[in-house]
Amino acid sequence: MADVLAELAAQLRVDSIRATTAAGSGHPSSSMSAADIVAVLFQKYLRFDFQHPRAPDNDRFVLSKGHACPVLYAAFKAAGAIDDAELLSLRQFGSRLEGHPNPHVLPLVDVATGSLGQGLAIGVGMALASRLDQRRSRIYVMMGDSETAEGSVWEAFDKASHYRLDHLCALIDMNRLGQTGETELGWNGEAYVARARAFGWHALAVDGHDLNAIDRALAEAVATTGKPTCLVFKTEKGHGYSLIANKGGWHGKALSEDQARDAIRELGGERHVRIEVKKPEASRPEAQPTAAPLKLPRYTPDEKVATRKVYGDALRALSDAHPDVVALDAEVSNSTFSEELREAHPQRYFEMYIAEQNMVATGVGMAVLGKRVFVSTFAAFLTRAYDQIRMAAVSNATLHLCGSHAGVSIGEDGPSQMGLEDLAMMRAVCDSTVLYPSDANQTARLMAHLVDRPGVSYLRTTRAKTPVLYAASEEFPIGGCKVLRRSDRDVATVVAAGITLHEALDAHARLQDQGISVRVIDLYSVKPVDAKTLRQAARETQGRLVVVEDHWAEGGLVDAVLEAFTDGAEPLPTVKRLAVRKMPGSGKPEELLNAAGIDAQHIVQAVLAMKDTSVPTGAPEAPRKRPPGKPAH
Amino acid sequence: MADVLAELAAQLRVDSIRATTAAGSGHPSSSMSAADIVAVLFQKYLRFDFQHPRAPDNDRFVLSKGHACPVLYAAFKAAGAIDDAELLSLRQFGSRLEGHPNPHVLPLVDVATGSLGQGLAIGVGMALASRLDQRRSRIYVMMGDSETAEGSVWEAFDKASHYRLDHLCALIDMNRLGQTGETELGWNGEAYVARARAFGWHALAVDGHDLNAIDRALAEAVATTGKPTCLVFKTEKGHGYSLIANKGGWHGKALSEDQARDAIRELGGERHVRIEVKKPEASRPEAQPTAAPLKLPRYTPDEKVATRKVYGDALRALSDAHPDVVALDAEVSNSTFSEELREAHPQRYFEMYIAEQNMVATGVGMAVLGKRVFVSTFAAFLTRAYDQIRMAAVSNATLHLCGSHAGVSIGEDGPSQMGLEDLAMMRAVCDSTVLYPSDANQTARLMAHLVDRPGVSYLRTTRAKTPVLYAASEEFPIGGCKVLRRSDRDVATVVAAGITLHEALDAHARLQDQGISVRVIDLYSVKPVDAKTLRQAARETQGRLVVVEDHWAEGGLVDAVLEAFTDGAEPLPTVKRLAVRKMPGSGKPEELLNAAGIDAQHIVQAVLAMKDTSVPTGAPEAPRKRPPGKPAH
């Protein structure tokens, strides 16, 4: 057996060299350090059905050090899942074998890696999902030593022990060398072991080039209960080829053809070893979650409800209807109201504490194993996980994010707590959906759409209670908008969403008092945006748009509106942008909306200025009671 | 002395209650747990000149648990730095005492806190800057126990021990209770101690309400050399008022006036204790960095140079000229070329390894102590630190960020390594500057501007070598742009920057071959944007703009261009948006630019379509050699 494994490991090294030299780029040295570990894992431990990569009882292998994918692709070839010709297409345009693993094109991998330090958190999510479904899957995550400098790794260490994930195993390929030089801890395996133990793991240092030692260590991981296991493998970068083994300056460099020939000779030449990867014993047929009828919450006109509260109400309703709905929150569930799901279905609520990066990546891990994942925290703190959100899109994962406490309208807590860049951040995610409701019934309806919406979606909610504008029967398609005020005499269109929609309705009423009519559009769907309705409004209201948003001037509502007018086909309207432009402070919501120039008074002034009537002078108008505001239809 | 301290601690609790009850919101319970620690620290250990808060020899106190600022403001009052009337203005509109500390209005604090888990990394930066200046300052960072769940905290623990920062002291207020319930580790002080020790710190558990124990622990921290010290203080949230002490449900809640009266009675009433905070012994007068003449690198037309390489060349030149220039990099200094500063001035290069969050927050800590800080990594990986970047702006810090490897043009490494949302992310930072050069001499000149530019700035660099377009003598003001091609017969304006500018010049030449003239604008300054030139170009080129960018369609170049036309004064031109819209893969740069529809061929097609001439049919044009491209002036 050891001979077979040695042959296999040599083949993985040879094929990693062949593929990267053929590509003219890539990471052979980082692949070679991991080859012995991958050989033992695939040959003796991994249970995986390559015909059905997403089979629920499969073990999972996440290559967090995604740049070492040549050794993974070489293992896929040895397992018969790809052929040698495809292996040699590495990194070519149109190949399934990209420079870093990407499930968009290669279904054999569950997630994209390549932004370091995210694999273990994804493994935590897989382990939680697998346990929730009472599967026997084991989750293996291979990390580089350099990436353990990422704090997200320690968030994942912390959560894995907190949830006692003894079916999760971390494999650290301690090859000592990073991209530019030696890592902080070099070959100090005991330092890694001490950190893992302090974070509640079973951990041991292992010779990563001793096949029997690797075998014993993996057996010990399987036998360990009550806590996850971390194996710290001492390895050599480039192991197996004396020219580069354990030498600096060889990160991310393919060998020349001469060097490759030399290396393959030193490694004993090409081989044709085949891995017989065992399939999992199917523990149970795949559960077909039986959906109960959805009973969305309904709200009556003129009551005041915060959209963040509706997020919780609707999330609870969705979780009652769909057994595969789960929620994660970063220790603010009583602010985002995800606590409502926890109270209804405690086993489907996962407290991620104040660790947003791990929360999002864990959500990705659960999502790719079939859960419908809702992740919530303050909008401002989702910025903490932007890299994980970006990578969720590369992973082609479906993930539902909710950010509460948007904008200056949160008031006294001040700018550190205000989500003012969240729309810009979330619009710039590939194929994302971005929604910003203004009303309770609208929020509930949009949640019902989101639960079936693929890709990364974002719901922006408001802290303050706002009037109910819509009937519970009203529909809100994603990609639509609502015309709330219209007449044949409209001199401009005011486009708003969320908190500023209520300011726009107030401005409409004030302008009506002056005999001036404006159209008011509720742009609840920020991405995709309803270009047709916006264009029609522009045509019908003298080509004047005023867009008002509780967000920085860049990347938010106005930029979404302008998308409707940048197909190169027609001239654009005249647009006035009302947005937050200077650093806000603490204060009452109405004081901060006024100071930012995004309240009813400033909308009125903008409309008047646009139609060249003089702006009212003197003191700001006294605040006036908002009209309840009825939909125009 | 203990009596004075006990009186002082009681006063800090009373004043925290008075201020939050007057405000009607805030975090009294989180302030009360920390009061004894703050009392001993300010009375006996902190060396701080309140008349000169930025004096270089001052010790630094960073309240990472920013929501507990009432106890900090109460300490400022006890020290005579603010009066009681101001204390009671907490959280009111226009008050310097915001809901979380903000140096925009309150110079007594160095940085903004409130996004948890960032204070220790800032402290690392302060400790590095102070050591670099050979000061004797000690840096104290007070954290909540909940925020230690943030991985960024462990990145900072790691870097602090790596750099042996024995003048840095972490104070953990282990009050057991988070916002929604008990923390993961509760009162398990030994667990915190074990983690801190595993990360290379001297650490001990301390009774956080025993004034003598606090005193001894702080003395031990001062006496500890070779490693930083972490003091884990066991405390009670709400300590001192039996109604709320160590009880759940009191996070972020002000007491009612009756409860406040009751609490102040239990605490022994109001007091008027005064802290005599000692001033530091000035070790040396503040260094006036003497700038040597700046010798910017110069490049000759027709050589090909990657702008990322110029970043390194110019950074080295700036560091030769300015002794206060420092560089931080996340273990990719041979990709970003920050290695050039390391080679010239190793003591001013700080290797932050693969921990972008800590890198950015450490940069903020160095910046607020007067360093000119340049921070670099791949553009894609700056997303990892978006919360820290956002908070740098709230801290009013000057920080120069550089993101390399922008866009699909990086080629084979694939989407995980491509910066495609960086412009959207950085434009949506308050008062930010965003630059995207296309040429070597331009990059060098822009670096010379950036070194004196206040606020958060971002320079986007390109992986590939590109032709030199400009003379070394050319000037590039921030907020400007360059018209590279113009004629009186231009039928459209093509706006591009960075890699796509070279495609635009190629497209210009191809269109010239067809007898069609277009204007070409190099929009190197993305924020602020040159509205005047863009408007003039639109007027002079039949109101047609084609904007092409190697970035997602949202939040980047086209949205920056549209800013120039959204002042509500005039209608917008006809705009065609060429940007990345679907997930890219691996491939050669030219293959990926073509697949994304942002290469010369697609620019030509867009121009032709706009002027309603037929688009060339059949196979894509053969690639043609790019003209060297001379500036129009």
Side-chain angles (χ1 to χ4, degrees):
Chain A
M1 174 55 103
D3 294 349
V4 176
L5 286 173
E7 286 297 297
L8 174 60
Q11 173 173 306
L12 297 181
R13 290 187 169 95
V14 167
D15 282 349
S16 297
I17 291 166
R18 292 173 63 231
T20 48
T21 294
S25 67
H27 299 77
S29 62
S30 305
S31 301
M32 293 161 79
S33 60
D36 297 308
I37 306 161
V38 170
V40 177
L41 181 67
F42 273 63
Q43 177 76 10
K44 288 198 64 177
Y45 289 89
L46 195 70
R47 299 285 180 271
F48 195 86
D49 180 352
F50 280 95
Q51 300 312 309
H52 305 94
R54 294 295 174 106
D57 293 302
N58 281 346
D59 290 343
R60 302 288 156 185
F61 177 68
V62 178
L63 184 65
S64 188
K65 51 176 291 187
H67 55 284
C69 55
V71 73
L72 178 64
Y73 301 152
F76 288 161
K77 175 200 148 184
I82 66 173
D83 62 23
D84 195 64
E86 182 165 24
L87 178 70
L88 297 179
S89 73
L90 175 70
R91 292 176 155 249
Q92 289 173 26
F93 185 71
S95 169
R96 299 193 305 167
L97 307 187
E98 295 190 354
H100 295 76
N102 183 349
H104 275 89
V105 287
L106 186 65
L108 293 174
V109 295
D110 297 311
V111 293
T113 50
S115 179
L116 291 167
Q118 299 191 21
L120 191 59
I122 290 167
V124 167
M126 291 173 161
L128 289 171
S130 166
R131 172 186 289 171
L132 196 58
D133 291 343
Q134 296 156 347
R135 303 283 173 184
R136 302 200 201 105
S137 316
R138 294 190 59 80
I139 318 298
Y140 297 95
V141 178
M142 172 171 279
M143 290 185 281
D145 46 357
S146 286
E147 70 180 296
T148 63
E150 289 283 11
S152 52
V153 170
W154 299 99
E155 294 179 4
F157 267 106
D158 180 55
K159 294 305 165 298
S161 61
H162 178 76
Y163 284 105
R164 306 182 178 287
L165 302 176
D166 52 16
H167 51 310
L168 174 65
C169 180
L171 316 163
I172 299 181
D173 177 14
M174 184 179 63
N175 64 23
R176 192 184 67 83
L177 294 171
Q179 173 174 324
T180 61
E182 188 168 49
T183 61
E184 282 173 280
L185 298 175
W187 266 337
N188 185 353
E190 286 311 318
Y192 290 97
V193 166
R195 291 181 182 194
R197 286 179 182 157
F199 275 72
W201 285 51
H202 179 59
L204 58 155
V206 185
D207 178 342
H209 298 312
D210 177 337
L211 294 162
N212 293 318
I214 295 166
D215 190 359
R216 285 193 304 273
L218 285 166
E220 182 170 328
V222 171
T224 301
T225 57
K227 51 172 63 173
T229 296
C230 176
L231 305 177
V232 181
F233 294 105
K234 181 182 178 184
T235 62
E236 283 187 339
K237 203 162 180 171
H239 185 78
Y241 180 36
S242 48
L243 179 74
I244 66 171
N246 193 31
K247 295 203 174 65
W250 284 98
H251 180 90
K253 286 189 186 153
L255 300 179
S256 71
E257 295 196 353
D258 289 348
Q259 292 165 340
R261 212 175 293 108
D262 188 32
I264 293 167
R265 193 182 311 111
E266 185 175 331
L267 284 159
E270 292 187 36
R271 296 166 174 75
H272 304 285
V273 184
R274 178 69 186 264
I275 307 178
E276 297 305 334
V277 176
K278 296 176 193 59
K279 294 182 179 178
E281 316 145 19
S283 51
R284 291 186 292 101
E286 189 158 1
Q288 293 307 333
T290 50
L294 174 60
K295 295 199 189 63
L296 275 186
R298 302 166 70 87
Y299 307 88
T300 56
D302 300 353
E303 82 183 285
K304 280 188 143 200
V305 188
T307 54
R308 62 177 171 136
K309 174 65 165 61
V310 181
Y311 171 76
D313 298 347
L315 183 60
R316 177 183 182 142
L318 290 170
S319 63
D320 292 341
H322 302 289
D324 52 359
V325 166
V326 301
L328 287 68
D329 197 281
E331 229 273 280
V332 290
S333 58
N334 55 343
S335 292
T336 61
F337 288 97
S338 64
E339 64 182 7
E340 295 192 46
L341 181 143
R342 184 182 68 228
E343 287 154 10
H345 305 284
Q347 77 288 5
R348 285 194 269 148
Y349 173 88
F350 297 89
E351 182 54 69
M352 293 286 111
Y353 298 95
I354 307 177
E356 296 81 6
Q357 295 194 46
N358 180 79
M359 174 171 67
V360 169
T362 293
V364 169
M366 300 182 84
V368 296
L369 294 200
K371 298 303 166 194
R372 301 204 234 194
V373 182
F374 287 80
V375 171
S376 50
T377 185
F378 284 28
F381 303 140
L382 283 174
T383 56
R384 197 64 156 261
Y386 194 27
D387 196 16
Q388 283 77 7
I389 293 168
R390 174 184 78 89
M391 288 299 295
V394 183
S395 286
N396 208 14
T398 289
L399 193 66
H400 309 295
L401 303 172
C402 175
S404 68
H405 295 67
V408 302
S409 71
I410 69 166
E412 289 76 3
D413 276 340
S416 66
Q417 316 294 301
M418 297 171 175
L420 285 165
E421 54 292 299
D422 54 324
L423 295 178
M425 172 175 88
M426 293 307 307
R427 285 180 62 246
V429 170
C430 189
D431 296 324
S432 63
T433 301
V434 180
L435 306 177
Y436 182 20
S438 57
D439 152 280
N441 287 314
Q442 183 181 60
T443 305
R445 288 291 184 143
L446 290 173
M447 285 289 285
H449 288 307
L450 282 178
V451 75
D452 296 317
R453 182 85 174 174
V456 175
S457 67
Y458 177 59
L459 182 81
R460 186 188 216 209
T461 63
T462 300
R463 176 171 188 248
K465 293 181 177 181
T466 49
V468 173
L469 301 176
Y470 298 101
S473 56
E474 184 106 14
E475 247 312 332
F476 300 92
I478 290 174
C481 68
K482 289 289 175 185
V483 180
L484 276 179
R485 298 287 186 273
R486 72 161 14 122
S487 81
D488 301 338
R489 307 172 323 286
D490 295 337
V491 298
T493 297
V494 179
V495 182
I499 194 79
T500 59
L501 178 68
H502 299 276
E503 298 296 325
L505 292 171
D506 186 1
H508 174 274
R510 297 187 192 196
L511 287 161
Q512 286 292 66
D513 296 348
Q514 303 181 41
I516 299 166
S517 297
V518 291
R519 189 156 302 184
V520 177
I521 289 182
D522 173 5
L523 199 74
Y524 63 84
S525 182
V526 179
K527 181 185 177 185
V529 74
D530 184 350
K532 183 165 166 295
T533 304
L534 288 168
R535 289 177 179 194
Q536 182 186 351
R539 280 194 303 271
E540 293 177 2
T541 64
Q542 303 182 31
R544 299 195 191 107
L545 298 183
V546 175
V547 186
V548 54
E549 56 185 320
D550 193 357
H551 186 278
W552 296 126
E554 297 84 11
L557 219 55
V558 70
D559 289 345
V561 168
L562 292 170
E563 269 183 34
F565 299 93
T566 51
D567 64 346
E570 60 188 87
L572 279 73
T574 304
V575 176
K576 176 67 178 177
R577 185 191 293 257
L578 299 182
V580 182
R581 293 176 181 277
K582 60 181 201 303
M583 187 59 68
S586 292
K588 297 190 182 65
E590 53 274 22
E591 291 171 326
L592 298 178
L593 289 167
N594 181 269
I598 57 173
D599 64 353
Q601 174 197 333
H602 289 84
I603 298 168
V604 167
Q605 289 170 350
V607 169
L608 295 176
M610 252 180 155
K611 64 187 292 290
D612 292 319
T613 58
S614 65
V615 181
T617 54
E621 304 169 29
R624 50 172 282 170
K625 189 178 170 310
R626 291 207 181 93
K630 301 259 179 303
H633 40 189
Chain B
M1 175 54 107
D3 295 350
V4 176
L5 287 173
E7 286 298 297
L8 175 58
Q11 174 173 305
L12 297 181
R13 292 188 169 94
V14 167
D15 282 349
S16 298
I17 291 166
R18 291 174 62 230
T20 47
T21 295
S25 67
H27 300 77
S29 62
S30 305
S31 301
M32 294 162 78
S33 61
D36 297 308
I37 306 160
V38 170
V40 177
L41 181 66
F42 273 63
Q43 177 75 14
K44 288 198 66 178
Y45 290 89
L46 195 71
R47 300 285 180 272
F48 196 85
D49 180 351
F50 279 95
Q51 300 312 307
H52 306 95
R54 294 293 175 106
D57 293 302
N58 281 346
D59 290 344
R60 302 288 156 184
F61 178 68
V62 177
L63 184 65
S64 188
K65 51 177 287 186
H67 55 284
C69 55
V71 73
L72 179 63
Y73 300 153
F76 287 161
K77 175 200 148 183
I82 66 172
D83 62 23
D84 195 64
E86 183 165 21
L87 177 72
L88 297 179
S89 74
L90 175 71
R91 292 174 156 251
Q92 289 173 25
F93 185 71
S95 169
R96 299 194 305 167
L97 306 187
E98 296 190 353
H100 295 77
N102 183 350
H104 275 90
V105 288
L106 187 65
L108 294 173
V109 295
D110 297 311
V111 293
T113 50
S115 179
L116 291 167
Q118 300 191 20
L120 190 60
I122 290 167
V124 167
M126 291 173 162
L128 289 171
S130 167
R131 172 186 289 171
L132 197 57
D133 291 343
Q134 296 156 340
R135 304 284 173 183
R136 303 202 201 103
S137 315
R138 294 189 60 79
I139 317 297
Y140 298 95
V141 178
M142 173 172 278
M143 290 185 281
D145 45 357
S146 286
E147 71 180 295
T148 63
E150 289 281 13
S152 53
V153 169
W154 298 99
E155 293 179 5
F157 266 106
D158 180 54
K159 294 304 163 302
S161 61
H162 178 76
Y163 283 105
R164 306 182 177 287
L165 302 177
D166 53 15
H167 51 310
L168 174 65
C169 181
L171 316 163
I172 299 180
D173 177 14
M174 183 179 64
N175 64 23
R176 193 182 66 82
L177 294 170
Q179 174 175 324
T180 61
E182 187 169 47
T183 61
E184 282 173 280
L185 297 175
W187 265 336
N188 186 352
E190 285 312 318
Y192 290 98
V193 167
R195 292 181 181 192
R197 286 178 181 158
F199 275 72
W201 286 51
H202 178 60
L204 56 156
V206 185
D207 178 342
H209 298 312
D210 177 337
L211 295 163
N212 294 318
I214 296 167
D215 190 358
R216 286 193 303 272
L218 285 166
E220 183 170 327
V222 172
T224 300
T225 58
K227 51 172 61 174
T229 296
C230 177
L231 304 177
V232 181
F233 293 105
K234 181 183 179 186
T235 61
E236 283 186 340
K237 204 163 181 172
H239 184 78
Y241 180 36
S242 48
L243 178 74
I244 66 171
N246 193 31
K247 294 203 174 65
W250 284 99
H251 180 89
K253 286 190 186 152
L255 300 179
S256 70
E257 295 198 352
D258 289 348
Q259 291 166 339
R261 212 173 294 109
D262 187 32
I264 293 167
R265 192 182 309 111
E266 184 174 330
L267 284 159
E270 293 186 36
R271 294 165 174 76
H272 304 285
V273 184
R274 178 68 186 267
I275 307 179
E276 297 305 335
V277 174
K278 295 176 194 57
K279 295 181 179 178
E281 317 143 19
S283 53
R284 289 186 296 100
E286 188 157 4
Q288 294 306 333
T290 51
L294 175 61
K295 297 199 187 65
L296 275 184
R298 302 166 69 87
Y299 306 87
T300 56
D302 300 354
E303 79 183 290
K304 281 188 144 201
V305 188
T307 55
R308 63 178 172 134
K309 174 64 165 62
V310 181
Y311 171 77
D313 298 347
L315 183 60
R316 176 182 182 143
L318 289 170
S319 63
D320 291 342
H322 303 287
D324 51 0
V325 166
V326 301
L328 287 68
D329 197 281
E331 229 273 279
V332 290
S333 57
N334 55 344
S335 292
T336 61
F337 288 96
S338 64
E339 64 183 7
E340 296 193 44
L341 181 142
R342 184 184 68 229
E343 286 154 12
H345 305 283
Q347 76 287 5
R348 286 193 268 146
Y349 174 87
F350 298 89
E351 182 54 70
M352 292 287 112
Y353 299 95
I354 307 177
E356 297 80 7
Q357 296 189 78
N358 181 79
M359 173 171 66
V360 169
T362 293
V364 169
M366 301 183 85
V368 295
L369 294 199
K371 298 302 166 195
R372 301 203 234 194
V373 182
F374 287 79
V375 171
S376 51
T377 185
F378 284 28
F381 303 141
L382 283 174
T383 56
R384 197 63 156 261
Y386 195 25
D387 196 16
Q388 283 78 5
I389 293 168
R390 173 184 79 90
M391 288 299 294
V394 183
S395 286
N396 207 14
T398 289
L399 193 66
H400 308 295
L401 303 172
C402 175
S404 68
H405 295 66
V408 301
S409 70
I410 69 166
E412 289 78 2
D413 277 339
S416 67
Q417 316 294 301
M418 296 171 175
L420 285 165
E421 54 293 298
D422 54 325
L423 296 177
M425 172 175 88
M426 293 307 306
R427 285 179 64 245
V429 169
C430 189
D431 297 325
S432 64
T433 301
V434 179
L435 306 176
Y436 182 21
S438 57
D439 152 281
N441 287 315
Q442 183 181 60
T443 305
R445 287 290 183 144
L446 290 173
M447 285 288 286
H449 288 306
L450 282 177
V451 75
D452 295 318
R453 182 83 173 175
V456 175
S457 66
Y458 177 60
L459 182 80
R460 185 187 216 212
T461 64
T462 300
R463 176 171 188 250
K465 292 181 178 182
T466 50
V468 173
L469 301 176
Y470 297 103
S473 56
E474 184 107 14
E475 247 313 329
F476 300 93
I478 289 174
C481 68
K482 290 287 176 185
V483 180
L484 276 179
R485 299 287 187 270
R486 70 160 18 120
S487 82
D488 300 338
R489 308 174 320 287
D490 295 337
V491 299
T493 298
V494 179
V495 183
I499 194 78
T500 59
L501 179 68
H502 300 277
E503 298 296 325
L505 293 172
D506 187 0
H508 174 274
R510 297 187 192 195
L511 287 162
Q512 286 291 70
D513 296 347
Q514 303 181 40
I516 298 167
S517 298
V518 291
R519 190 157 300 185
V520 177
I521 290 182
D522 173 4
L523 200 74
Y524 63 83
S525 182
V526 179
K527 181 184 176 186
V529 75
D530 184 349
K532 182 164 164 299
T533 305
L534 288 168
R535 289 178 176 200
Q536 183 186 348
R539 279 194 304 271
E540 294 176 2
T541 63
Q542 303 183 29
R544 300 196 190 106
L545 298 182
V546 174
V547 186
V548 55
E549 56 185 320
D550 193 357
H551 185 278
W552 296 126
E554 298 84 10
L557 219 54
V558 71
D559 289 346
V561 167
L562 291 168
E563 266 183 36
F565 299 92
T566 52
D567 66 345
E570 61 189 86
L572 279 74
T574 304
V575 176
K576 176 66 179 176
R577 186 190 294 257
L578 300 182
V580 183
R581 294 178 181 277
K582 60 180 202 303
M583 187 61 67
S586 293
K588 296 189 182 66
E590 54 273 23
E591 291 171 326
L592 298 178
L593 289 167
N594 181 268
I598 57 174
D599 64 353
Q601 174 196 334
H602 288 84
I603 297 168
V604 167
Q605 289 169 349
V607 170
L608 294 175
M610 248 181 161
K611 64 186 293 291
D612 290 321
T613 58
S614 64
V615 182
T617 53
E621 304 168 30
R624 50 173 283 170
K625 186 178 173 310
R626 289 208 182 92
K630 301 257 177 305
H633 38 183

